[in-house]
Amino acid sequence: MHKAIRAIVIAGLSAPLFLAAQSSNVTLPQDKGPDKIDVSKYPAEQQKGYKVFVDKCAKCHTIARPINTAMTAQEWSRYVKRMMHKPNSGISDAQGKTIYEFLAYDQENRKDKNAKAFFPSLSDEEIEKLKAQQH
């Protein structure tokens, strides 16, 4: 019994450190943009998707990052799958599909209409360069 309680206490104290280690440790240009979208004119399904997106994606990085990043639908699909496999993301297959559908809808209906207002996605190599510069 004491071992179980001790394990629970240790896990509870370690969780914030583990979550911090999973968080992004680099500031991208996209992080400095707006961190909200007015989705009031989006279809109801996409408004629900926005809530799932904000809830899940804010665990590891700013919401501004994906809001201000322009990608193709295929790139969003790959990106969401990648995020789903990050430790502790807690994104189920159904939630990943919802997030992808929201991001693809938002890309087509908001970003593609004003592409110059958004940053293109950065490659892993570009992100690594930024990390090196910031540390």
Side-chain angles (χ1 to χ4, degrees), residues 53-70:
F53 158 72
V54 169
D55 179 54
K56 292 297 182 178
C57 299
K59 286 182 174 183
C60 298
H61 54 74
T62 68
I63 290 302
R65 184 172 297 175
I67 284 175
N68 298 298
T69 298

Side-chain angles (χ1 to χ4, degrees), residues 12-123:
L13 293 173
S14 301
L17 295 174
F18 181 76
L19 290 173
Q22 299 307 314
S23 298
S24 177
N25 61 353
V26 63
T27 301
L28 302 181
Q30 293 90 329
D31 294 330
K32 298 175 184 173
D35 63 355
K36 292 182 184 97
I37 302 172
D38 177 7
V39 295
S40 62
K41 293 186 171 116
Y42 282 20
E45 197 65 28
Q46 297 307 329
Q47 290 180 31
K48 290 178 191 173
Y50 178 70
K51 290 177 184 172
V52 174
F53 158 72
V54 169
D55 179 54
K56 292 297 182 178
C57 299
K59 286 182 174 183
C60 298
H61 54 74
T62 68
I63 290 302
R65 184 172 297 175
I67 284 175
N68 298 298
T69 298
M71 292 191 198
T72 65
Q74 185 177 8
E75 288 171 323
W76 280 122
S77 176
R78 184 177 61 86
Y79 186 80
V80 170
K81 286 176 186 172
R82 189 169 136 194
M83 295 300 110
M84 288 173 64
H85 292 96
K86 294 277 186 180
N88 212 36
S89 77
I91 301 172
S92 69
D93 288 345
Q95 291 166 330
K97 182 177 187 281
T98 298
I99 292 167
Y100 163 75
E101 288 172 353
F102 167 76
L103 290 168
Y105 178 90
D106 182 61
Q107 181 69 47
E108 182 178 338
N109 292 279
R110 184 176 66 94
K111 296 175 186 172
D112 288 350
K113 292 179 179 175
N114 188 15
K116 291 183 181 181
F118 302 99
F119 290 93
S121 62
L122 296 176
S123 69

